[in-house]
Amino acid sequence: MNKIRVFSGIQPSGEMHLGNYLGAVKQWVENQGKEKENFYCIVDLHAHTILRDPVELRDNIRSLAAMLFACGLSHEKSTVFIQSQVRAHAEACWLLNCVTPMGWLERMTQFKDKKEKLNSISAALLDYPVLQTGDIILYDADEVPVGEDQKQHVELARDIAQRFNNLFGETFKLPEPIIPTIGARVMNLSNPTSKMSKSFDEDDGGVVGLLDDDSKIVKSIKRAVTDSGNDIVFSDDPEKAGVNNLLGIYKVITGKSSDDVEKDFEGARGYGILKEKVAEVVLETIKPIREKYNEYISDKSELDRLLDIGAENARLISEPKVLEMKNKMGFI
Ligand code: TYM
């Protein structure tokens, strides 16, 4: 039987944060222990949809690679690679552009959000989900483990793949988004109605970076916005979004059931103890990752060697696929 194939990606657009880790990367590491074939991509072409400083981008790419290996991805159990090093991705994007109706892209909520926030936007920003579609379907991925915010993009990938299949004959598998039940949307600690995200937060006090030092992390968690009550229970009430977020972080890290999480805080007075416990489990999780990160980042040639292995593997699958696309579309 063929193994389930998994593809996912992450942008090198600044330091990896707790949302990326709990919403996506933690699942990727866990997938390595299952009967799955794993492809994880550093999507640097996506990062440039908002213009980047070249020196900074180069640093960010290597830093993210070191971080992914530090989190537990292994070059033997996963194909970990840089998108721009595998040409099929950019080529597939063009081919898929030709079959994608403009209206599908204009409807994407992330595009609409970013358009609002930026003074000027590139054509690439609109095209972003088509590049993402190519990433996924070039590998005939069955599963795409992502946080909640990427669900719409993966659904669009299904629609574009389906449209290509209808126009040119069966070519692509239709991928499924795999969203964790908890951790899928880690919220900003200072503004718990917005998701934790690096790109647009002027004040990053509500974002926990995996490379932040302990005191900064403790400070951010202690300052996390809560409410004027004192019930430490999971709740959909928007008023209690802050407490719910802290409990969610605690739950996903400890792996406990919601009941057991609530029991841990039974009888507590005020939110101080919740914040203390959350800070404790977050620091415990991050500490070994940070130590391994420092090892990987200090050996650039070893890091590049691991990424070369990944790129070579990725080419073996994606190059024949892009050729198949071109043949079906009538190119010589
Ligand atoms: P990116 O780089 O924004 O985020 C990487 C992963 O982290 C998840 N994530 C979160 N999960 C929970 N809570 C949060 N606050 C949070 N913030 C981010 C994201 O959902 C994502 O899974 N477009 C993608 C990258 C991409 C991709 C792909 C993903 C490009 N090609 C192909 C899957 C398959 C992005 O910008 O992710």
Side-chain angles (χ1 to χ4, degrees):
M1 207 181 77
N2 282 343
K3 282 188 181 171
I4 288 177
R5 191 173 281 170
V6 181
F7 187 99
S8 200
I10 179 166
Q11 291 193 62
S13 53
E15 197 185 321
M16 197 163 122
H17 57 70
L18 200 60
N20 299 134
Y21 179 68
L22 298 180
V25 178
K26 191 167 179 288
Q27 296 189 74
W28 304 356
V29 174
E30 285 161 7
N31 277 337
Q32 294 184 141
K34 300 179 185 159
E35 284 293 300
K36 294 187 177 181
E37 205 182 343
N38 298 293
F39 291 82
Y40 299 119
C41 185
I42 295 172
V43 293
D44 52 351
L45 297 173
H46 277 103
H48 243 317
T49 53
I50 295 170
L51 275 182
R52 306 279 170 186
D53 173 72
V55 175
E56 215 171 276
L57 179 64
R58 210 166 283 134
D59 283 349
N60 282 346
I61 294 170
R62 285 212 180 85
S63 169
L64 179 58
M67 186 50 93
L68 292 176
F69 289 121
C71 286
L73 290 186
S74 139
H75 75 286
E76 283 164 345
K77 296 183 188 154
S78 295
T79 295
V80 181
F81 70 104
I82 300 176
Q83 186 186 34
S84 65
Q85 293 185 345
V86 179
R87 291 183 183 174
H89 290 249
E91 202 172 356
C93 177
W94 183 261
L95 303 177
L96 294 170
N97 273 336
C98 303
V99 307
T100 304
M102 186 85 162
W104 291 8
L105 302 180
E106 284 166 337
R107 274 205 304 272
M108 291 293 107
T109 49
Q110 277 207 351
F111 171 70
K112 290 197 282 190
D113 277 1
K114 288 187 182 169
K115 200 170 99 175
E116 287 279 298
K117 288 178 182 154
L118 297 167
N119 294 331
S120 89
I121 55 167
S122 63
L125 193 70
L126 176 70
D127 205 28
Y128 180 113
V130 182
L131 181 61
Q132 180 161 351
T133 297
D135 296 343
I136 299 168
I137 66 180
L138 274 174
Y139 297 84
D140 280 318
D142 302 285
E143 296 184 350
V144 186
V146 284
E148 175 70 36
D149 63 333
Q150 293 301 316
K151 188 163 177 255
Q152 195 186 32
H153 287 161
V154 182
E155 285 166 354
L156 180 79
R158 282 179 72 90
D159 291 343
I160 297 176
Q162 179 84 66
R163 190 166 156 84
F164 190 100
N165 289 348
N166 291 342
L167 290 167
F168 300 111
E170 205 55 32
T171 310
F172 297 116
K173 266 199 188 161
L174 306 186
E176 286 285 347
I178 306 290
I179 319 276
T181 44
I182 194 109
R185 201 169 164 79
V186 175
M187 308 309 271
N188 185 303
L189 298 177
S190 349
N191 179 9
T193 51
S194 307
K195 72 166 184 179
M196 190 177 283
S197 144
K198 267 267 147 131
S199 352
F200 294 111
D201 292 312
E202 288 110 33
D203 161 25
D204 71 354
V207 179
V208 176
L210 264 53
L211 294 175
D212 289 347
D213 59 43
D214 288 5
S215 59
K216 178 164 188 269
I217 294 175
V218 172
K219 200 160 130 196
S220 306
I221 297 176
K222 284 215 166 126
R223 283 193 183 163
V225 167
T226 47
D227 55 81
S228 55
N230 52 16
D231 286 342
I232 307 183
V233 288
F234 288 98
S235 156
D236 294 336
D237 181 353
E239 277 285 301
K240 296 200 61 87
V243 168
N244 203 55
N245 189 36
L246 291 171
L247 283 172
I249 293 172
Y250 183 82
K251 177 176 160 136
V252 66
I253 293 181
T254 58
K256 293 186 179 182
S257 69
S258 299
D259 281 351
D260 285 345
V261 168
E262 288 178 357
K263 268 192 206 127
D264 281 357
F265 299 105
E266 237 166 34
R269 284 168 184 271
Y271 297 132
I273 182 77
L274 171 64
K275 291 179 172 177
E276 222 168 87
K277 283 273 180 202
V278 171
E280 195 179 296
V281 295
V282 167
L283 291 184
E284 261 169 33
T285 306
I286 290 182
K287 191 165 179 257
I289 295 178
R290 221 187 281 142
E291 281 166 9
K292 289 204 194 101
Y293 170 86
N294 287 331
E295 283 170 30
Y296 280 107
I297 202 68
S298 64
D299 191 348
K300 189 168 136 275
S301 59
E302 173 62 3
L303 199 55
D304 288 356
R305 187 185 73 86
L306 298 179
L307 292 167
D308 283 347
I309 294 173
E312 209 166 300
N313 241 341
R315 282 184 209 112
L316 289 178
I317 313 274
S318 56
E319 281 185 359
K321 196 74 186 177
V322 92
L323 261 185
E324 185 188 343
M325 291 173 78
K326 288 169 81 175
N327 281 334
K328 288 193 168 154
M329 291 177 83
F331 294 105
I332 291 175

